[in-house]
Amino acid sequence: FLFSGVRTDIVLTQPGSEIRKPGDTVKLSCQVSGFTLSSSWYISWIQQTPGKGLEWLAYIRGDNQYPSYAQSIQGRSLVSTDSSSNAYLELKTLKAEDTAVYYCARQSQ
């Protein structure tokens, strides 16, 4: 069944698992469809560590403007968008505590 008023054509796709060692760098990607990355939307990155809740990490406006970071990754991370359909989170100098599931999510202004 479908809920009235719920959009079913908005999709954010992330690739599979990444395996890295402490000290490495990883660049996570998020491909969107059903809408265009623009000044109307922000992409947030969210982390879920094993056995813990969700933690917001960063966001950036769809036109690659106004990034913001959680203190936990400030100075060793970069959020970006490269087109109308791809967003990225780069984490540098990885630590053991960065082991987690990472999600991208769309939010309006």
Side-chain angles (χ1 to χ4, degrees), residues 70-83:
Q71 189 172 355
S72 61
I73 63 166
Q74 183 83 41
R76 63 180 188 97
S77 57
L78 179 67
V79 283
S80 62
T81 61
D82 72 355
S83 67

Side-chain angles (χ1 to χ4, degrees), residues 67-108:
S68 182
Y69 301 90
Q71 189 172 355
S72 61
I73 63 166
Q74 183 83 41
R76 63 180 188 97
S77 57
L78 179 67
V79 283
S80 62
T81 61
D82 72 355
S83 67
S84 61
S85 61
N86 292 288
Y88 302 95
L89 171 64
E90 185 174 22
L91 289 172
K92 305 169 186 176
T93 318
L94 288 170
K95 306 173 183 180
E97 53 264 37
D98 293 321
T99 300
V101 177
Y102 292 83
Y103 300 98
C104 59
R106 184 184 80 158
Q107 64 184 78
S108 59

Side-chain angles (χ1 to χ4, degrees), residues 8-58:
T8 58
D9 56 345
I10 303 299
V11 179
L12 285 73
T13 304
Q14 297 175 255
S17 299
E18 298 271 0
I19 300 175
R20 297 289 188 276
K21 301 185 301 290
D24 284 355
T25 295
V26 67
K27 189 171 185 178
L28 307 177
S29 64
C30 176
Q31 183 175 40
V32 310
S33 61
F35 71 102
T36 299
L37 290 174
S38 68
S39 59
S40 298
W41 305 105
Y42 282 77
I43 296 293
S44 280
W45 288 91
I46 298 153
Q47 176 192 63
Q48 186 169 29
T49 53
K52 296 186 179 179
L54 298 171
E55 179 187 358
W56 171 83
L57 292 179

